[in-house]
Amino acid sequence: MSALFFALPAEAKPWIEALEAKPEKKQGHFRYYHSENHSIIISGVGKIAMAMAVTEFAQKFKNLCNQRNFQIWNLGICGSANNEYLIGDFFWIHKIIDDSTGRE
């Protein structure tokens, strides 16, 4: 079981369709979709929105989060000012440094 978090509906749409996820009947502050093995959450843009979405999900769906091997993924699209990267390049991000604070 996993929770897939996206900032924008356009990022989540292919996953929603591929997993045949259905919308949660009782939505919270964020949009939730569920398939047999995955939950998809649309948080909105920004680190605060994402933190709030993860927190709400963890509180609302405690039973899912407590399952063995449960994983949370933050998936999405990003941009770069570095011209070495091409459109469509894939990155497996394992560490983020916040530009405003310099914290990891």
XYZ file of all heavy atoms in Angstrom:
839
model
N 0.852 -1.191 0.000
C 0.000 0.000 0.000
C 0.883 1.234 0.000
O 1.913 1.257 0.662
C -0.895 -0.031 1.234
C -1.857 1.093 1.335
S -3.122 0.943 0.069
C -3.993 2.435 0.296
N 0.481 2.240 -0.746
C 1.239 3.483 -0.769
C 0.303 4.667 -0.970
O -0.807 4.531 -1.466
C 2.303 3.456 -1.861
O 1.699 3.367 -3.125
N 0.801 5.821 -0.556
C 0.115 7.087 -0.775
C 0.983 7.899 -1.728
O 2.158 8.130 -1.462
C -0.078 7.822 0.542
N 0.393 8.292 -2.842
C 1.101 9.055 -3.861
C 0.613 10.494 -3.793
O -0.548 10.771 -4.065
C 0.832 8.470 -5.249
C 1.016 6.954 -5.387
C 0.578 6.496 -6.764
C 2.440 6.565 -5.100
N 1.493 11.406 -3.440
C 1.145 12.820 -3.289
C 1.617 13.604 -4.509
O 2.760 13.455 -4.942
C 1.797 13.403 -2.026
C 1.134 12.968 -0.768
C 1.422 11.736 -0.205
C 0.212 13.788 -0.132
C 0.805 11.323 0.964
C -0.408 13.383 1.042
C -0.107 12.149 1.585
N 0.726 14.417 -5.031
C 1.008 15.286 -6.179
C 0.571 16.700 -5.832
O -0.425 16.891 -5.131
C 0.230 14.830 -7.415
C 0.587 13.459 -7.900
C -0.073 12.346 -7.413
C 1.579 13.292 -8.847
C 0.251 11.084 -7.856
C 1.909 12.027 -9.303
C 1.240 10.912 -8.808
N 1.266 17.688 -6.370
C 0.872 19.077 -6.133
C -0.318 19.457 -7.001
O -1.243 20.117 -6.540
C 2.052 20.013 -6.412
N -0.302 19.029 -8.253
C -1.301 19.491 -9.226
C -2.141 18.352 -9.796
O -1.636 17.241 -9.995
C -0.599 20.204 -10.387
C 0.267 21.398 -10.011
C 1.034 21.891 -11.219
C -0.592 22.503 -9.420
N -3.401 18.629 -10.112
C -4.247 17.604 -10.735
C -3.660 17.067 -12.045
O -3.785 15.877 -12.325
C -5.572 18.333 -10.988
C -5.593 19.445 -10.003
C -4.161 19.857 -9.828
N -3.032 17.914 -12.826
C -2.458 17.472 -14.102
C -1.346 16.439 -13.893
O -1.156 15.547 -14.724
C -1.918 18.664 -14.882
N -0.613 16.563 -12.788
C 0.432 15.579 -12.477
C -0.182 14.247 -12.053
O 0.340 13.179 -12.367
C 1.323 16.093 -11.344
C 2.117 17.319 -11.691
C 2.818 17.920 -10.482
O 2.260 17.878 -9.362
O 3.927 18.437 -10.671
N -1.287 14.310 -11.336
C -1.927 13.109 -10.795
C -2.794 12.382 -11.815
O -2.994 11.168 -11.701
C -2.773 13.485 -9.588
N -3.315 13.087 -12.796
C -4.304 12.522 -13.720
C -3.864 11.209 -14.366
O -4.642 10.242 -14.364
C -4.672 13.550 -14.791
C -5.769 13.061 -15.707
C -6.167 14.093 -16.731
C -7.237 13.525 -17.642
N -7.620 14.455 -18.679
N -2.646 11.094 -14.921
C -2.261 9.807 -15.522
C -2.242 8.663 -14.513
O -2.574 7.527 -14.847
C -0.858 10.068 -16.077
C -0.704 11.544 -16.143
C -1.618 12.118 -15.109
N -1.867 8.956 -13.286
C -1.835 7.939 -12.237
C -3.255 7.542 -11.830
O -3.535 6.361 -11.607
C -1.060 8.456 -11.027
C 0.404 8.588 -11.290
C 1.047 9.637 -11.895
C 1.406 7.637 -10.987
N 2.386 9.394 -11.963
C 2.637 8.169 -11.412
C 1.392 6.382 -10.376
C 3.837 7.489 -11.253
C 2.592 5.708 -10.216
C 3.792 6.254 -10.651
N -4.130 8.517 -11.711
C -5.523 8.240 -11.366
C -6.141 7.325 -12.419
O -6.808 6.340 -12.093
C -6.322 9.556 -11.228
C -5.837 10.343 -10.003
C -7.822 9.278 -11.133
C -6.337 11.780 -9.954
N -5.897 7.646 -13.683
C -6.448 6.833 -14.771
C -5.822 5.447 -14.818
O -6.528 4.446 -14.951
C -6.256 7.561 -16.102
C -7.118 8.809 -16.209
C -6.824 9.637 -17.450
O -5.856 9.332 -18.182
O -7.572 10.617 -17.677
N -4.498 5.364 -14.703
C -3.811 4.071 -14.796
C -4.185 3.141 -13.643
O -4.316 1.925 -13.844
C -2.300 4.280 -14.834
N -4.349 3.697 -12.464
C -4.689 2.889 -11.289
C -6.198 2.727 -11.105
O -6.638 2.052 -10.173
C -4.085 3.510 -10.030
C -2.560 3.551 -9.985
C -2.080 4.366 -8.787
C -1.980 2.145 -9.957
N -6.974 3.378 -11.986
C -8.432 3.366 -11.901
C -8.897 3.777 -10.501
O -9.799 3.172 -9.907
C -8.986 1.995 -12.290
C -8.664 1.619 -13.732
C -9.179 0.257 -14.133
O -9.775 -0.453 -13.291
O -8.989 -0.099 -15.306
N -8.279 4.824 -9.983
C -8.598 5.321 -8.646
C -9.906 6.102 -8.672
O -10.194 6.827 -9.622
C -7.456 6.200 -8.138
N -10.666 5.939 -7.633
C -11.963 6.611 -7.506
C -11.872 7.701 -6.439
O -11.177 7.542 -5.435
C -13.046 5.610 -7.110
C -13.171 4.438 -8.068
C -13.597 4.886 -9.439
C -13.703 3.698 -10.373
N -13.356 3.999 -11.732
N -12.600 8.807 -6.602
C -12.537 9.878 -5.608
C -13.125 9.446 -4.270
O -14.085 8.682 -4.228
C -13.355 11.007 -6.230
C -14.090 10.429 -7.368
C -13.466 9.130 -7.724
N -12.526 9.926 -3.212
C -13.027 9.698 -1.857
C -14.379 10.391 -1.737
O -14.536 11.534 -2.164
C -12.025 10.275 -0.845
C -12.482 10.246 0.578
C -12.405 8.863 1.195
O -11.691 7.995 0.668
O -13.077 8.658 2.208
N -15.349 9.725 -1.149
C -16.685 10.310 -1.014
C -16.675 11.516 -0.098
O -17.349 12.504 -0.344
C -17.664 9.253 -0.505
C -17.948 8.201 -1.539
C -18.876 7.145 -1.040
C -19.038 6.116 -2.147
N -19.604 4.884 -1.703
N -15.915 11.447 0.981
C -15.834 12.547 1.933
C -14.454 13.197 1.803
O -13.493 12.730 2.390
C -16.031 12.006 3.353
C -17.080 12.708 4.118
C -17.229 12.108 5.482
C -17.852 13.143 6.383
N -18.029 12.651 7.727
N -14.377 14.247 1.022
C -13.106 14.932 0.816
C -12.791 15.801 2.028
O -13.683 16.308 2.694
C -13.166 15.802 -0.441
C -13.372 15.026 -1.723
C -12.156 14.226 -2.157
O -11.023 14.519 -1.812
N -12.390 13.195 -2.951
N -11.497 15.986 2.293
C -11.051 16.898 3.338
C -10.629 18.209 2.689
O -11.242 18.663 1.723
N -9.560 18.777 3.180
C -9.037 20.007 2.585
C -8.338 19.725 1.258
O -8.098 20.624 0.469
C -8.033 20.669 3.540
C -8.677 21.205 4.765
N -8.723 20.499 5.946
C -9.312 22.367 4.987
C -9.355 21.215 6.844
N -9.734 22.356 6.299
N -8.007 18.459 1.021
C -7.283 18.043 -0.172
C -8.095 16.986 -0.905
O -9.007 16.392 -0.341
C -5.903 17.506 0.222
C -5.135 18.485 1.065
C -5.128 18.372 2.443
C -4.472 19.545 0.486
C -4.452 19.292 3.231
C -3.796 20.471 1.258
C -3.787 20.340 2.635
N -7.769 16.770 -2.171
C -8.515 15.771 -2.954
C -7.860 14.407 -2.807
O -6.644 14.265 -2.954
C -8.565 16.184 -4.419
C -9.517 17.353 -4.604
C -9.847 17.553 -6.036
N -8.891 18.527 -6.552
C -8.771 18.847 -7.813
N -9.522 18.274 -8.711
N -7.908 19.738 -8.197
N -8.697 13.403 -2.537
C -8.243 12.033 -2.331
C -8.869 11.112 -3.366
O -10.053 11.229 -3.670
C -8.655 11.522 -0.946
C -8.083 12.312 0.191
C -8.836 13.287 0.824
C -6.796 12.079 0.634
C -8.314 14.014 1.881
C -6.267 12.799 1.691
C -7.028 13.764 2.298
O -6.513 14.488 3.335
N -8.062 10.181 -3.856
C -8.527 9.130 -4.756
C -7.946 7.818 -4.234
O -6.845 7.793 -3.689
C -8.025 9.365 -6.183
C -8.528 10.645 -6.794
C -7.910 11.869 -6.527
C -9.629 10.655 -7.642
C -8.370 13.049 -7.075
C -10.101 11.839 -8.202
C -9.458 13.028 -7.915
O -9.921 14.195 -8.457
N -8.704 6.722 -4.408
C -8.229 5.435 -3.908
C -8.425 4.358 -4.968
O -9.430 4.333 -5.681
C -9.003 5.024 -2.654
C -8.892 6.012 -1.536
N -7.761 6.163 -0.777
C -9.777 6.912 -1.066
C -7.963 7.109 0.118
N -9.183 7.581 -0.047
N -7.434 3.492 -5.048
C -7.549 2.260 -5.817
C -7.356 1.117 -4.827
O -7.276 1.354 -3.610
C -6.501 2.211 -6.933
O -5.205 2.054 -6.393
N -7.250 -0.084 -5.321
C -7.125 -1.230 -4.431
C -5.883 -1.136 -3.538
O -5.932 -1.466 -2.358
C -7.086 -2.524 -5.244
C -7.101 -3.763 -4.397
C -7.174 -5.037 -5.218
O -7.685 -4.988 -6.358
O -6.707 -6.062 -4.722
N -4.762 -0.686 -4.102
C -3.504 -0.688 -3.354
C -2.872 0.685 -3.152
O -1.778 0.770 -2.585
C -2.478 -1.587 -4.049
C -2.893 -3.037 -4.017
O -3.292 -3.544 -2.977
N -2.829 -3.693 -5.152
N -3.507 1.731 -3.637
C -2.880 3.046 -3.575
C -3.902 4.135 -3.255
O -5.067 4.032 -3.629
C -2.210 3.396 -4.909
C -1.224 2.387 -5.350
N 0.037 2.276 -4.804
C -1.293 1.409 -6.285
C 0.693 1.289 -5.392
N -0.103 0.743 -6.291
N -3.404 5.167 -2.605
C -4.176 6.390 -2.427
C -3.428 7.489 -3.177
O -2.200 7.527 -3.158
C -4.285 6.760 -0.953
O -5.039 5.807 -0.265
N -4.169 8.359 -3.824
C -3.585 9.493 -4.530
C -4.143 10.754 -3.887
O -5.358 10.881 -3.702
C -3.918 9.439 -6.030
C -3.274 8.195 -6.654
C -3.473 10.720 -6.731
C -3.683 7.938 -8.084
N -3.234 11.661 -3.553
C -3.626 12.885 -2.865
C -3.094 14.070 -3.659
O -1.926 14.074 -4.059
C -3.061 12.928 -1.431
C -3.522 11.704 -0.629
C -3.467 14.214 -0.730
C -2.625 10.521 -0.742
N -3.942 15.071 -3.882
C -3.524 16.298 -4.560
C -3.463 17.392 -3.499
O -4.481 17.749 -2.903
C -4.482 16.660 -5.700
C -4.516 15.510 -6.710
C -4.064 17.975 -6.351
C -5.558 15.648 -7.787
N -2.258 17.916 -3.278
C -2.021 18.817 -2.155
C -2.109 20.298 -2.498
O -2.394 21.119 -1.643
C -0.628 18.557 -1.575
O 0.372 18.953 -2.504
N -1.811 20.652 -3.731
C -1.588 22.049 -4.062
C -0.089 22.308 -4.040
O 0.699 21.494 -3.551
N 0.317 23.458 -4.531
C 1.737 23.770 -4.711
C 2.372 24.248 -3.409
O 1.767 25.001 -2.657
C 1.904 24.843 -5.807
C 3.357 25.257 -5.962
C 1.345 24.345 -7.131
N 3.593 23.819 -3.179
C 4.398 24.330 -2.078
C 4.625 23.347 -0.958
O 3.866 22.408 -0.757
N 5.717 23.591 -0.239
C 6.101 22.680 0.840
C 5.118 22.699 2.002
O 4.883 21.674 2.639
C 7.520 22.989 1.315
C 7.715 24.381 1.860
C 9.171 24.656 2.152
C 9.361 26.113 2.555
N 10.769 26.438 2.687
N 4.508 23.830 2.277
C 3.540 23.899 3.382
C 2.272 23.130 3.017
O 1.746 22.365 3.824
C 3.244 25.356 3.761
C 4.507 25.991 4.345
C 2.079 25.447 4.743
C 4.418 27.472 4.591
N 1.794 23.310 1.789
C 0.611 22.571 1.335
C 0.872 21.068 1.382
O 0.014 20.291 1.824
C 0.219 23.005 -0.070
N 2.058 20.644 0.952
C 2.390 19.217 0.967
C 2.451 18.692 2.401
O 1.913 17.624 2.704
C 3.715 18.964 0.258
C 4.083 17.502 0.149
S 2.917 16.481 -0.783
C 3.167 17.096 -2.429
N 3.077 19.445 3.298
C 3.158 19.020 4.702
C 1.766 18.899 5.313
O 1.484 17.952 6.060
C 4.013 20.004 5.491
N 0.902 19.845 5.003
C -0.469 19.802 5.530
C -1.234 18.607 4.961
O -2.005 17.949 5.678
C -1.190 21.109 5.209
C -0.659 22.279 6.014
S -1.321 23.888 5.526
C -3.069 23.632 5.602
N -1.033 18.310 3.673
C -1.730 17.191 3.046
C -1.285 15.860 3.641
O -2.114 14.984 3.911
C -1.497 17.204 1.536
N 0.009 15.702 3.863
C 0.512 14.465 4.465
C -0.037 14.310 5.881
O -0.472 13.225 6.277
C 2.059 14.428 4.456
C 2.582 13.242 5.265
C 2.587 14.358 3.022
N -0.052 15.397 6.629
C -0.578 15.357 7.998
C -2.054 14.991 8.014
O -2.485 14.120 8.786
C -0.361 16.722 8.692
O 1.035 17.006 8.709
C -0.911 16.714 10.104
N -2.858 15.641 7.146
C -4.285 15.327 7.112
C -4.509 13.882 6.697
O -5.340 13.178 7.279
C -5.024 16.266 6.154
C -6.528 15.988 6.139
C -7.304 16.921 5.254
O -7.566 18.056 5.689
O -7.637 16.517 4.119
N -3.763 13.420 5.696
C -3.909 12.036 5.247
C -3.595 11.063 6.386
O -4.342 10.113 6.626
C -2.995 11.765 4.052
C -3.082 10.358 3.553
C -4.079 9.990 2.662
C -2.187 9.396 3.976
C -4.176 8.678 2.211
C -2.277 8.088 3.531
C -3.268 7.736 2.648
N -2.483 11.312 7.094
C -2.069 10.414 8.179
C -3.113 10.374 9.295
O -3.331 9.321 9.903
C -0.718 10.846 8.721
N -3.762 11.486 9.553
C -4.801 11.518 10.592
C -6.095 10.880 10.115
O -6.751 10.154 10.847
C -5.054 12.955 11.026
C -3.902 13.546 11.811
C -4.115 15.010 12.144
O -4.993 15.673 11.592
N -3.308 15.530 13.047
N -6.463 11.165 8.872
C -7.740 10.685 8.330
C -7.711 9.179 8.034
O -8.719 8.501 8.172
C -8.065 11.477 7.060
C -9.432 11.212 6.494
C -9.753 12.165 5.361
C -11.148 11.897 4.837
N -11.572 12.821 3.832
N -6.550 8.685 7.628
C -6.438 7.285 7.201
C -5.389 6.548 8.029
O -4.487 5.903 7.492
C -6.111 7.209 5.710
C -7.144 7.848 4.840
C -6.926 9.098 4.295
C -8.349 7.218 4.591
C -7.877 9.704 3.494
C -9.320 7.821 3.798
C -9.073 9.065 3.251
N -5.510 6.619 9.345
C -4.548 5.972 10.256
C -4.424 4.483 9.981
O -3.340 3.921 10.036
C -4.966 6.190 11.707
C -4.786 7.586 12.195
C -5.271 7.732 13.626
C -5.241 9.193 14.006
N -5.898 9.451 15.271
N -5.554 3.843 9.687
C -5.532 2.399 9.452
C -4.668 2.036 8.242
O -3.978 1.023 8.254
C -6.952 1.852 9.288
C -7.687 2.488 8.118
O -7.452 3.653 7.775
N -8.593 1.751 7.511
N -4.670 2.858 7.199
C -3.824 2.594 6.038
C -2.350 2.819 6.365
O -1.490 2.028 5.993
C -4.222 3.494 4.861
C -5.610 3.307 4.276
C -5.857 4.329 3.177
C -5.772 1.906 3.734
N -2.075 3.913 7.068
C -0.691 4.278 7.383
C -0.025 3.280 8.315
O 1.203 3.173 8.323
C -0.637 5.677 8.000
S -1.192 6.966 6.874
N -0.805 2.560 9.100
C -0.254 1.589 10.045
C -0.001 0.221 9.423
O 0.495 -0.673 10.106
C -1.167 1.453 11.267
C -1.120 2.687 12.140
O -0.101 3.366 12.214
N -2.229 2.989 12.790
N -0.333 0.046 8.152
C -0.109 -1.239 7.498
C 1.381 -1.474 7.283
O 2.153 -0.540 7.060
C -0.827 -1.296 6.150
C -2.312 -1.348 6.262
C -2.990 -1.420 4.907
O -2.339 -1.491 3.873
N -4.303 -1.397 4.910
N 1.763 -2.707 7.331
C 3.159 -3.093 7.093
C 3.579 -2.674 5.680
O 2.810 -2.809 4.736
C 3.291 -4.595 7.270
C 4.693 -5.102 7.174
C 4.688 -6.605 7.433
N 5.974 -7.154 7.179
C 6.891 -7.365 8.124
N 6.605 -7.070 9.365
N 8.061 -7.883 7.821
N 4.764 -2.144 5.548
C 5.352 -1.710 4.274
C 4.620 -0.540 3.621
O 4.741 -0.336 2.417
C 5.453 -2.875 3.282
C 6.352 -3.972 3.780
O 7.387 -3.704 4.382
N 5.972 -5.208 3.553
N 3.850 0.207 4.387
C 3.187 1.395 3.839
C 4.240 2.426 3.455
O 5.195 2.660 4.187
C 2.224 1.987 4.874
C 1.505 3.207 4.364
C 0.415 3.079 3.530
C 1.945 4.475 4.694
C -0.249 4.191 3.053
C 1.296 5.593 4.223
C 0.202 5.452 3.395
N 4.063 3.057 2.287
C 5.025 4.048 1.804
C 4.319 5.319 1.374
O 3.203 5.271 0.853
C 5.811 3.497 0.612
C 6.649 2.303 0.957
C 7.380 1.765 -0.255
O 7.043 2.067 -1.398
N 8.396 0.960 -0.012
N 5.001 6.446 1.572
C 4.517 7.740 1.099
C 5.482 8.222 0.026
O 6.697 8.244 0.243
C 4.434 8.770 2.239
C 3.334 8.368 3.218
C 4.197 10.166 1.698
C 3.212 9.268 4.421
N 4.935 8.609 -1.126
C 5.728 9.100 -2.250
C 5.253 10.499 -2.622
O 4.057 10.750 -2.681
C 5.552 8.193 -3.475
C 6.065 6.812 -3.276
C 5.414 5.769 -2.686
C 7.335 6.322 -3.669
N 6.206 4.664 -2.700
C 7.391 4.966 -3.293
C 8.431 6.891 -4.306
C 8.509 4.175 -3.532
C 9.543 6.101 -4.548
C 9.573 4.767 -4.154
N 6.197 11.380 -2.881
C 5.904 12.716 -3.387
C 6.372 12.724 -4.835
O 7.577 12.731 -5.105
C 6.642 13.768 -2.553
C 6.397 15.179 -3.037
O 5.742 15.397 -4.050
N 6.929 16.135 -2.328
N 5.433 12.687 -5.753
C 5.746 12.600 -7.180
C 5.331 13.879 -7.876
O 4.355 14.518 -7.484
C 5.000 11.418 -7.807
C 5.249 10.063 -7.150
C 4.291 9.032 -7.717
C 6.683 9.641 -7.355
N 6.060 14.252 -8.909
C 5.629 15.439 -9.622
C 6.613 15.919 -10.666
O 7.591 15.265 -10.980
N 6.308 17.076 -11.146
C 7.068 17.728 -12.212
C 7.757 18.942 -11.613
O 7.195 19.618 -10.755
C 6.111 18.161 -13.335
C 5.396 16.936 -13.908
C 6.849 18.925 -14.422
C 4.234 17.275 -14.806
N 8.962 19.201 -12.055
C 9.656 20.384 -11.557
C 10.418 21.040 -12.702
O 10.578 20.465 -13.773
C 10.603 20.033 -10.421
S 12.011 19.049 -10.932
N 10.887 22.204 -12.452
C 11.672 22.931 -13.437
C 13.080 23.162 -12.934
O 13.386 22.935 -11.773
N 13.951 23.589 -13.836
C 15.328 23.867 -13.465
C 15.866 24.999 -14.317
O 15.560 25.107 -15.503
C 16.192 22.622 -13.669
O 17.553 22.933 -13.455
N 16.694 25.821 -13.710
C 17.374 26.888 -14.454
C 18.654 26.364 -15.094
O 19.304 27.070 -15.859
C 17.691 28.047 -13.518
N 19.006 25.114 -14.809
C 20.217 24.499 -15.341
C 19.942 23.984 -16.751
O 19.149 23.075 -16.952
C 20.666 23.362 -14.421
C 22.004 22.795 -14.812
O 22.394 22.840 -15.978
N 22.711 22.248 -13.851
N 20.631 24.539 -17.740
C 20.415 24.162 -19.142
C 20.942 22.778 -19.491
O 20.690 22.285 -20.593
C 21.037 25.202 -20.071
C 20.321 26.527 -20.022
O 19.130 26.570 -19.745
N 21.035 27.606 -20.281
N 21.665 22.144 -18.580
C 22.169 20.792 -18.840
C 21.041 19.759 -18.823
O 21.183 18.679 -19.370
C 23.220 20.404 -17.799
C 24.491 21.215 -17.888
C 25.486 20.828 -16.802
O 25.426 19.684 -16.307
O 26.322 21.678 -16.460
N 19.927 20.088 -18.170
C 18.809 19.158 -18.073
C 17.837 19.391 -19.215
O 17.525 20.517 -19.572
C 18.085 19.327 -16.740
C 19.002 19.141 -15.552
C 19.057 20.093 -14.562
C 19.808 18.017 -15.438
C 19.900 19.943 -13.468
C 20.652 17.851 -14.365
C 20.693 18.816 -13.375
O 21.518 18.663 -12.300
N 17.350 18.305 -19.781
C 16.415 18.376 -20.899
C 14.997 18.091 -20.420
O 14.790 17.418 -19.406
C 16.802 17.349 -21.964
C 18.201 17.493 -22.553
C 18.505 16.335 -23.480
C 18.349 18.820 -23.274
N 14.019 18.584 -21.160
C 12.625 18.274 -20.861
C 12.462 16.758 -20.934
O 12.896 16.114 -21.887
C 11.675 18.980 -21.846
C 11.735 20.493 -21.630
C 10.247 18.455 -21.701
C 10.942 21.297 -22.635
N 11.855 16.205 -19.906
C 11.638 14.765 -19.854
C 12.692 14.005 -19.074
O 12.549 12.809 -18.854
N 13.778 14.671 -18.656
C 14.781 13.997 -17.829
C 14.128 13.529 -16.538
O 13.262 14.193 -15.984
C 15.948 14.927 -17.502
C 16.940 15.068 -18.646
O 16.796 14.347 -19.645
O 17.851 15.907 -18.526
N 14.551 12.374 -16.074
C 14.005 11.774 -14.854
C 15.021 11.913 -13.729
O 16.209 11.689 -13.933
C 13.692 10.295 -15.096
C 13.179 9.591 -13.875
C 11.848 9.686 -13.527
C 14.022 8.838 -13.084
C 11.369 9.045 -12.403
C 13.549 8.192 -11.964
C 12.218 8.294 -11.621
N 14.559 12.263 -12.545
C 15.427 12.394 -11.383
C 14.852 11.614 -10.217
O 13.664 11.708 -9.940
C 15.566 13.867 -10.970
C 16.185 14.718 -12.036
C 15.386 15.369 -12.960
C 17.555 14.845 -12.124
C 15.944 16.141 -13.952
C 18.123 15.623 -13.118
C 17.321 16.271 -14.025
N 15.694 10.846 -9.570
C 15.328 10.149 -8.351
C 15.916 10.976 -7.220
O 17.099 10.915 -6.941
C 15.905 8.742 -8.367
C 15.536 7.918 -7.185
C 16.240 7.775 -6.037
C 14.371 7.120 -7.039
N 15.585 6.944 -5.179
C 14.439 6.524 -5.768
C 13.277 6.852 -7.852
C 13.441 5.672 -5.300
C 12.300 6.010 -7.385
C 12.388 5.426 -6.119
N 15.082 11.782 -6.581
C 15.546 12.720 -5.573
C 15.565 12.032 -4.214
O 14.563 11.480 -3.775
C 14.639 13.974 -5.514
C 14.506 14.611 -6.895
C 15.144 14.957 -4.467
C 15.787 15.093 -7.503
N 16.695 12.074 -3.560
C 16.812 11.464 -2.239
C 17.176 12.485 -1.164
O 17.187 12.167 0.014
C 17.849 10.338 -2.254
C 19.211 10.813 -2.648
N 20.116 11.290 -1.741
C 19.786 10.910 -3.849
C 21.211 11.649 -2.374
N 21.035 11.438 -3.652
N 17.474 13.713 -1.582
C 17.786 14.764 -0.617
C 17.384 16.095 -1.236
O 17.674 16.358 -2.399
C 19.272 14.765 -0.291
C 19.675 15.863 0.685
C 21.087 15.708 1.198
C 22.099 16.215 0.243
N 23.454 16.265 0.803
N 16.728 16.921 -0.436
C 16.306 18.241 -0.904
C 16.905 19.273 0.032
O 16.854 19.122 1.248
C 14.768 18.355 -0.913
C 14.164 17.338 -1.884
C 14.335 19.768 -1.271
C 12.660 17.247 -1.814
N 17.449 20.320 -0.552
C 17.951 21.441 0.240
C 17.020 22.621 -0.011
O 16.856 23.075 -1.143
C 19.397 21.792 -0.141
C 20.305 20.580 0.128
C 19.875 23.020 0.640
C 21.731 20.749 -0.366
N 16.391 23.084 1.064
C 15.454 24.190 0.979
C 16.212 25.471 0.616
O 17.144 25.859 1.328
C 14.722 24.354 2.312
C 13.602 25.366 2.235
O 13.892 26.533 1.871
O 12.469 25.013 2.537
N 15.833 26.106 -0.462
C 16.530 27.301 -0.935
C 16.412 28.454 0.047
O 17.353 29.230 0.213
C 15.973 27.707 -2.307
C 16.818 28.770 -2.977
O 18.043 28.585 -3.042
O 16.243 29.787 -3.403
N 15.286 28.569 0.727
C 15.083 29.702 1.629
C 15.818 29.558 2.957
O 16.201 30.552 3.565
C 13.590 29.951 1.878
O 13.025 28.827 2.506
N 16.023 28.315 3.420
C 16.668 28.112 4.724
C 18.041 27.458 4.624
O 18.817 27.518 5.567
C 15.785 27.230 5.633
O 15.693 25.916 5.047
C 14.423 27.831 5.857
N 18.311 26.777 3.516
C 19.554 26.024 3.372
C 19.533 24.695 4.108
O 20.528 23.964 4.110
N 18.396 24.349 4.715
C 18.277 23.091 5.465
C 17.986 21.935 4.537
O 17.336 22.082 3.518
C 17.164 23.201 6.495
C 17.483 24.170 7.614
C 16.348 24.371 8.585
N 15.743 23.123 8.997
C 14.552 23.011 9.536
N 13.811 24.097 9.727
N 14.054 21.858 9.882
N 18.467 20.756 4.932
C 18.169 19.518 4.185
C 16.818 18.997 4.612
O 16.449 19.083 5.753
C 19.222 18.454 4.458
C 20.546 18.766 3.829
C 21.544 17.650 4.038
O 21.160 16.513 4.363
O 22.739 17.918 3.869
